Amino acid sequence: MNLEELFLKRQSTREFSEREVADEDLKEICRLATLAPSAVNQQPYNLYAINGEKAKAFTKNIQKEGANAWADSCHCYIVIEARQPRVIIRGERRISNEEYIPEDIGILSAYIALAAESKGLQTCIIGLRDEKAIAEFLNLPEGTGFPLIIAVGYAVEGYPVREKRRRSLDETFKIIK
């Protein structure tokens, strides 16, 4: 699949089949995703793949007030933990990656979604979450941040690939010389 085909096929999937996701596929997706660029190359994240029965128990952490009911069909998640910012000293300069962490995690999530799609798996990037409950679930300290969760799985048979509706390139792109 070429890059444009991959971009056109990748979408947020909200109905997953019962087909299991192999742990090796999750490991490879995360390995590829960690090739994403990050400010000062700090890779300010940790990744946790939650699969199988544990994923069913995890689902409640991304469902609030009836939202994300579709997640009951998902049996696999990749949880992104935001690491604490770091200061790097280069000669006289002190460089912090703090202000770039949200962007780095956004880039990472795109890499995860595209790596999964390249392996025939579909994803949905989720922002709604209970961070306190997730920290408890993962046995991490309260206050640990989890900016994004990514549902991963195989779409149910017949799940349509929706046409991309985007603003025209003339509306979104300008060359400045």
Side-chain angles (χ1 to χ4, degrees), residues 21-97:
V21 176
D23 290 345
E24 283 304 311
D25 286 339
L26 292 168
K27 186 175 182 180
E28 179 65 3
I29 289 165
C30 290
R31 184 191 72 77
L32 290 169
T34 62
L35 297 173
S38 63
V40 201
N41 195 30
Q42 289 303 294
Q43 302 168 31
Y45 46 76
N46 291 318
L47 301 172
Y48 303 88
I50 303 172
N51 203 0
E53 290 302 314
K54 289 281 189 183
K56 290 179 185 181
F58 179 83
T59 297
K60 68 179 185 254
N61 298 316
I62 58 161
Q63 296 175 318
K64 287 183 184 178
E65 301 170 7
N68 293 336
W70 60 265
D72 287 335
S73 73
C74 186
H75 306 291
C76 183
Y77 299 96
I78 296 174
V79 177
I80 302 173
E81 173 194 357
R83 295 179 63 197
Q84 293 299 311
R86 296 201 45 210
V87 174
I88 301 1
I89 299 172
R90 292 201 174 142
E92 299 289 320
R93 291 180 42 205
R94 293 173 55 84
I95 305 166
S96 172
N97 70 329

Side-chain angles (χ1 to χ4, degrees), residues 36-37 45 80 100-113 125 147-148 150:
Y45 46 76
I80 302 173
Y100 305 107
I101 291 174
E103 289 86 352
D104 289 346
I105 288 175
I107 295 166
L108 173 74
S109 69
Y111 271 55
I112 291 170
I125 300 170
L148 293 173
I150 302 175

